[in-house]
Amino acid sequence: MRQAFEAVQVTDSVHWVGAIDWSVRDFHGYLTSRGTTYNAYLILADEITLIDTVKAPFVEEMLARIAAVVDPGDISYIVSDHAEMDHSGGLPATIEAVRPEKIFASALGAKALGEHFRLDHKIVAAKNGESLSLGNTSLSFVETRMLHWPDSMFSYLDDGGVLFSQDAFGMHLASSQRFADEIDQDILGYEGAKYYANILLPLSSLVTKLLQQVPELGLDINIIAPDHGPIWREDLGKILGSYAQWAEQTPTKKAVVVYDTMWQSTALMARAIGEGLRSAGAVPKLMQLRASHRSDVATEILDARALVVGSPTMNNNIFPTVADVLTYLKGLKPRNLVGAAFGSYGWSGEAVGQIEETLTEMKVDLVAASLMVKYVPDDAALAQCYALGQQVAARLNQTCDSK
Ligand code: FEO
């Protein structure tokens, strides 16, 4: 087992020693169509240091990669940049195998690790801005509280200018290549955006603030080494620029029409709304929820400025898939959206009102009266749907033109 895994050299002193999870498809409700990696990094300094661990079932793989470079027992320090279990789940077994002198985390990280694992080993709370000597080089810590957990922090290694950024700038992408410049740029763009939309979107104002603070930190960053997906060693401005743009959520003419249907009536309405949107200059994207995963809807919302939601009424309620996606999107707090609600019904028709209520809670600006159709839409009803699409498009045009 041990001989099957190798480490990947990142700089003279840093090796990637993480794990590749080719088959995971569900990451707490996020569809990870391309799998993921749990990145851990070994720093070969006077005090050998491990940055983060991996999800619990992958500890042996990580230890094998470490053993390809050094005896795991030679590790002095472990730094936990993030307490979520895809990075800390392997910590108890790693402590057992390595017996490090010290383990470091942010103050809230030390608390969170204690609450997760009830460790016997004391965790040293690293202060924001504090520097830890590794002998011939040093590691400094930058708290990134709520990006995306209270405990989150970055670690920065002087030697080679490596920023270990935990989840930030990462993506769920299993690949045999370890560096972003070796991977198809379209895949990187899509998976990076999907990660941002599903993990970081609700924290966009903190992302903007952090990006503004980065120059003030005075760090000479040559490499960004996240905890998921590829390592950035070229053109760092590109991923930093993408983050700035995603955090901004600037207006575009894209409109996402999210719906589900029982007997095709709500689907017919959605298609007519889509045609109306297109005819008035918007770019519609129709997503039927039994063909589209909630995390893919979130990804499409990232650069859309209209959210139009449709549902039939089932047992006096919104259709379950629509309720699911609305709950998910509400938690992600997308900003600057306009929208509308629509749906078909047989006798009571509560679903559309329930959608309206949730969109209002999400601060979506409802630009048209909701549309309800009994049983099956006739030509007149479809014309109303078409007109609804045009109304939404008109508002999008107005918003984009005023920017
Ligand atoms: Fe990759 Fe927030 O854990």
Side-chain angles (χ1 to χ4, degrees), residues 358-369:
T358 307
L359 291 179
T360 304
E361 284 167 7
M362 289 170 65
K363 300 189 170 59
V364 174
D365 182 7
L366 298 175
V367 301

Side-chain angles (χ1 to χ4, degrees), residues 82 84 86-87 148 167 195 228:
H82 181 23
E84 192 162 8
D86 48 330
H87 311 295
H148 72 120
D167 282 339
Y195 193 86
H228 295 291

Side-chain angles (χ1 to χ4, degrees), residues 48 57 60 63 86 93 115 132 178 182 209 219 232 235-236 247 256 271 286 374 378 383 396:
I48 298 173
E60 281 303 315
L63 290 172
D86 48 330
E115 287 164 351
L132 171 69
R178 294 279 60 81
E182 301 170 325
K209 211 162 147 189
L219 306 176
W232 305 91
D235 197 8
L236 304 187
V256 178
R271 289 208 286 273
L286 269 64
K374 192 166 185 192
D378 58 12
L396 282 188

Side-chain angles (χ1 to χ4, degrees), residues 42-108:
L42 186 69
I43 302 172
L44 298 180
D46 292 343
E47 301 291 353
I48 298 173
T49 300
L50 179 66
I51 305 284
D52 283 323
T53 65
V54 293
K55 197 173 168 182
F58 293 88
V59 170
E60 281 303 315
E61 181 175 334
M62 180 195 73
L63 290 172
R65 293 190 198 277
I66 293 171
V69 185
V70 294
D71 180 340
D74 291 342
I75 292 174
S76 304
Y77 304 147
I78 297 176
V79 174
S80 171
D81 279 335
H82 181 23
E84 192 162 8
M85 284 197 278
D86 48 330
H87 311 295
S88 68
L91 184 61
T94 306
I95 293 171
E96 192 69 24
V98 167
R99 298 272 158 203
E101 278 172 41
K102 288 182 180 169
I103 303 164
F104 298 87
S106 68
L108 293 176

Side-chain angles (χ1 to χ4, degrees), residues 140-387:
S140 43
F141 304 113
V142 180
E143 271 192 12
T144 57
R145 204 173 279 195
M146 287 320 297
L147 283 174
H148 72 120
W149 272 26
D151 63 274
S152 300
M153 71 173 186
F154 290 173
S155 302
Y156 172 79
L157 180 68
D158 270 346
D159 184 21
V162 184
L163 183 73
F164 301 102
S165 62
Q166 39 94 20
D167 282 339
F169 313 116
M171 66 186 73
H172 288 311
L173 174 61
S175 59
S176 48
Q177 303 88 349
R178 294 279 60 81
F179 298 97
D181 51 279
E182 301 170 325
I183 294 172
D184 183 289
Q185 296 301 299
D186 288 343
I187 294 175
L188 280 186
Y190 182 79
E191 294 300 341
K194 183 170 185 177
Y195 193 86
Y196 187 94
N198 284 276
I199 305 286
L200 293 164
L201 186 62
L203 309 159
S204 287
S205 56
L206 294 176
V207 172
T208 303
K209 211 162 147 189
L210 180 69
L211 290 173
Q212 286 163 352
Q213 281 169 353
V214 167
E216 292 162 24
L217 297 173
L219 306 176
D220 186 13
I221 302 169
N222 296 318
I223 289 177
I224 298 177
D227 272 359
H228 295 291
I231 298 160
W232 305 91
R233 64 180 174 185
E234 286 182 7
D235 197 8
L236 304 187
K238 194 169 172 187
I239 183 66
L240 293 168
S242 295
Y243 263 55
Q245 187 189 333
W246 294 329
E248 190 74 18
Q249 294 175 69
T250 45
T252 69
K253 294 195 178 179
K254 182 171 161 188
V256 178
V257 182
V258 181
Y259 66 98
D260 216 331
T261 194
M262 291 169 71
W263 294 104
Q264 296 304 314
S265 291
T266 307
L268 273 173
M269 294 177 77
R271 289 208 286 273
I273 291 168
E275 288 302 307
L277 280 160
R278 187 199 50 76
S279 76
V283 183
K285 171 94 184 177
L286 269 64
M287 304 188 85
Q288 206 258 26
L289 288 170
R290 272 171 287 166
S292 307
H293 194 270
R294 67 175 84 84
S295 53
D296 290 323
V297 173
T299 310
E300 294 296 339
I301 297 284
L302 184 60
D303 65 349
R305 283 302 155 261
L307 172 62
V308 184
V309 182
S311 174
T313 293
M314 185 187 192
N315 299 328
N316 308 107
N317 259 303
I318 197 166
F319 198 73
T321 51
V322 183
D324 175 292
V325 85
L326 280 176
T327 301
Y328 191 70
L329 292 178
K330 188 177 160 189
L332 292 175
K333 301 185 174 70
R335 291 180 301 177
N336 310 332
L337 288 171
V338 301
F342 66 98
S344 65
Y345 69 103
W347 46 97
S348 56
E350 290 88 345
V352 170
Q354 291 171 7
I355 294 171
E356 251 187 33
E357 209 173 294
T358 307
L359 291 179
T360 304
E361 284 167 7
M362 289 170 65
K363 300 189 170 59
V364 174
D365 182 7
L366 298 175
V367 301
S370 301
L371 274 186
M372 290 174 65
V373 166
K374 192 166 185 192
Y375 290 127
V376 176
D378 58 12
D379 284 349
L382 291 176
Q384 282 183 305
C385 292
Y386 188 86

